[in-house]
Amino acid sequence: MKALIIIPTYNEKENIQNIVQAVFAQNLGVDILVVDDNSPDGTGQIVQEMQKSQPKLHLLSRPGKQGLGRAYIAGFNWGMEHGFDVLTEMDADFSHRPEDLGPLLGKLKTHDFAVGSRYVEGGRTVNWGLMRKIISRGGGIYSRLILGFPLNDWTGGFNSWKKEVLLGIDLSTVTSNGYSFQIELKYKALKKGFKGAESPIVFEDRRVGHSKMSLKIVIEAFYRVWLMRFK
């Protein structure tokens, strides 16, 4: 299957070159699409320069910061329009390890989508404070109880989807944009009857730069779970 790794960026000049090189170094035969929201730090220009020597590297430039969910949907649509069968979400900051990509993609041999999971055997987090652990683990348990599907890592953003799943859930109906975006995608896929698998990952806090996480994003996720359930 023709696979695309989608990496959204906003001010990731410190990471983008290294993460692109690290993904290609896995020798998985994948292409990479960087979805850049007009980063003031010149992330897009760095990618353009790298494209001169990397034919499997692509850039989708957007006019401004529109949120993570919108970036991924734009990337999904670009990928499907360009003939890719598998579309994978991945952070630019090395919190999603390139070495976990192979096992994640391998799950698609027997399943429709794969979730990089911190909360199955072999998965874990590194360099997280207590509060972040509580929010992440608690959010997953909260989502599992309300939405009713036995998934362990609802909030994680290291996920791989077959094209048929994204077409089946109809991306135009996805309304979440922040932390809850990942929950909504998984819930819609499971409700449609698609089969998901969890692949253990080691999630390490970003090496350089600043986290995009905020209290507003967390609060949005907690109330949107109820909207998803009873919509």
Side-chain angles (χ1 to χ4, degrees):
M1 293 185 291
K2 191 177 176 184
L4 179 69
I5 311 302
I6 302 169
I7 303 178
T9 57
Y10 187 77
N11 288 344
E12 293 288 356
K13 70 174 184 179
E14 296 164 305
N15 291 304
I16 192 60
Q17 188 167 1
N18 290 333
I19 191 66
V20 166
Q21 292 173 344
V23 169
F24 283 141
Q26 302 304 308
N27 295 316
L28 298 171
V30 300
D31 284 45
I32 296 175
L33 172 66
V34 176
V35 182
D36 185 66
D37 280 2
N38 196 22
S39 297
D41 72 350
T43 299
Q45 287 81 358
I46 294 172
V47 176
Q48 287 176 332
E49 189 62 31
M50 293 181 69
Q51 285 182 289
K52 296 175 182 178
S53 59
Q54 294 282 8
K56 294 173 78 68
L57 175 62
H58 314 279
L59 175 65
L60 177 59
S61 298
R62 304 199 303 163
K65 193 174 182 181
Q66 301 171 40
L68 183 67
R70 298 305 102 187
Y72 272 128
I73 288 177
F76 290 151
N77 287 327
W78 186 97
M80 290 187 287
E81 289 168 4
H82 287 78
F84 288 92
D85 307 299
V86 170
L87 303 106
T88 300
E89 306 169 69
M90 187 173 187
D91 286 352
D93 60 8
F94 282 92
S95 55
H96 298 155
R97 302 190 310 170
E99 55 263 45
D100 290 329
L101 260 176
L104 183 71
L105 292 170
K107 293 289 185 182
L108 297 184
K109 294 177 181 177
T110 53
H111 293 78
D112 301 311
F113 68 96
V115 173
S117 182
R118 299 158 291 186
Y119 305 123
V120 294
E121 185 176 354
R124 59 190 174 94
T125 60
V126 178
N127 296 331
W128 275 26
L130 178 61
M131 185 53 64
R132 187 169 182 186
K133 288 181 179 179
I134 292 172
I135 290 172
S136 176
R137 192 67 170 122
I141 294 171
Y142 176 84
S143 299
R144 179 172 178 163
L145 289 173
I146 294 170
L147 300 177
F149 289 100
L151 191 68
N152 292 290
D153 200 332
W154 283 91
T155 59
F158 195 8
N159 310 302
S160 192
W161 310 87
K162 286 183 178 176
K163 175 179 66 176
E164 291 76 13
V165 179
L166 299 176
L167 291 172
I169 65 179
D170 187 0
L171 294 173
S172 68
T173 67
V174 177
T175 58
S176 302
N177 198 27
Y179 203 47
S180 56
F181 173 77
Q182 306 297 351
I183 302 172
E184 185 173 356
L185 278 187
K186 294 164 188 171
Y187 181 54
K188 284 180 178 290
L190 291 166
K191 272 193 75 176
K192 287 286 186 179
F194 292 110
K195 295 181 179 180
E198 294 186 80
S199 182
I201 63 168
V202 177
F203 189 106
E204 186 174 357
D205 207 5
R206 63 163 48 238
R207 297 180 181 181
V208 294
H210 302 284
S211 174
K212 313 292 193 302
M213 181 63 65
S214 68
L215 180 60
K216 179 183 177 181
I217 290 173
V218 174
I219 292 173
E220 178 201 24
F222 272 76
Y223 82 77
R224 278 194 172 274
V225 168
W226 288 100
L227 296 179
M228 295 173 208
R229 177 65 178 82
F230 295 108
K231 187 173 180 180

